[in-house]
Amino acid sequence: MSLDLLEQTIQYTFYNQQDGKDNIKSRVFKNVKKGASAAGLAKVGDALAGLQGAEPQP
């Protein structure tokens, strides 16, 4: 029995606190390339965090 990866999805959740209010945004990206590395996906998340006004997590 072999298993084949049909689709890969990633979800980024951004936390930003403005004016004493918690602001949480979530973005889901479908059809992520099968060969995408974890490090590459983390870099994308950091870049998107900057655009969303959220601080990247270590």
Side-chain angles (χ1 to χ4, degrees), residues 17-43:
Q17 189 174 28
Q18 294 177 337
D19 302 326
K21 297 180 183 177
D22 293 338
N23 188 9
I24 298 174
K25 295 179 183 178
S26 182
R27 301 288 184 257
V28 177
F29 296 92
K30 297 180 180 180
N31 299 321
V32 175
K33 187 175 179 178
K34 291 180 186 178
S37 69
L41 294 173
K43 286 181 182 179

Side-chain angles (χ1 to χ4, degrees), residues 2-21:
S2 70
L3 300 174
D4 293 327
L5 179 64
L6 299 177
E7 183 178 298
Q8 186 165 303
T9 303
I10 189 163
Q11 178 176 351
Y12 296 102
T13 302
F14 306 101
Y15 171 78
N16 190 6
Q17 189 174 28
Q18 294 177 337
D19 302 326
K21 297 180 183 177

